[in-house]
Amino acid sequence: MIVDFSKLSYIKIGPKIEVKALHEDNYENEFVIGRATNTLISNNPPKLAILDDRYKFIDIKNGYLKVGAKTQNRTIYSFCKRNDIKGFEFLAKLPGSIGGSIKMNAGVKEYEISNSLLAIKTLKGWIEKKDINFDYRYSDINEPVFEAIFELKQGFDYKLDEKLKILRQNQPLEPSLGSVFKNPKGDFAGRLIEKVGMKGMQKGGIKVSEKHANFFINVGGGTFEDMMFLINEAKKRVFESFGIKLEEEIVIL
């Protein structure tokens, strides 16, 4: 299938190229794109694939929650709210699909997708959580995720739901890839970028958000090169000023 990443990508950057519809029998080492919510795609990316629609489902089975990896985070949030299931409140404002969220251990503050995860299905079959290494915005999963099983706990937490929504009110609404950098231990990437004078800085159509400096937003016509300029400039300035090496949270292809 042909995908125009300048329309699909959340930051509206990327080429119009052929992308494979991936299932468990046709993987050939392509890079798997979910909703391109945290992926910056150049004009010359590696071979790309998007999961087939067969992996877009949610089931309650044998006392567990079983989810296809193409299922959107917000779909899972809505399903859990309707069915009084707790543990997924943080997905309300988290873009993307569950496969990508598991691979990067996505979350808000201490609420991470790995917290209630039990197992994932990959090319090797089912793998239990205890055999996967998870850390802050990290897992050692290096192959496509097709399905996942989670704990099923009753009692959707409405107070937590509201608290997490308020937390995210300081994030810009313009096209972006979310947090560009991981927070260094004991500090915040946004604070450091602001301290080195980059809040509001613009290169071409990409701007460091004045609302939250760890968000780089597309204000119109932004390119891969514009984004990379600001990423490299932030890393350079923060290292020169604080001796801290910022590490990207986004994926760059």
Side-chain angles (χ1 to χ4, degrees), residues 10 37 73-75 77-78 88-96 107-108 161-169 171-173 178 215:
Y10 266 53
T37 55
N73 291 333
R74 288 168 181 163
T75 303
Y77 163 82
S78 298
F88 299 88
E89 292 86 358
F90 69 95
L91 293 180
K93 299 288 185 179
L94 212 62
V108 179
D161 183 39
E162 192 57 34
K163 173 188 164 186
L164 293 175
K165 284 176 180 173
I166 291 169
L167 270 179
R168 296 180 75 84
Q169 284 178 358
Q171 297 180 357
L173 299 176
F215 281 64

Side-chain angles (χ1 to χ4, degrees), residues 57-60 65 71-86 88-89 152-158 161:
F57 66 84
I58 309 175
D59 286 330
I60 294 176
L65 192 67
T71 310
Q72 289 188 44
N73 291 333
R74 288 168 181 163
T75 303
I76 299 168
Y77 163 82
S78 298
F79 179 91
C80 290
K81 190 172 185 178
R82 282 197 313 272
N83 290 278
D84 195 34
I85 298 167
K86 70 184 297 185
F88 299 88
E89 292 86 358
L152 185 63
K153 294 181 180 177
Q154 296 302 129
F156 184 88
D157 191 332
Y158 286 90
D161 183 39

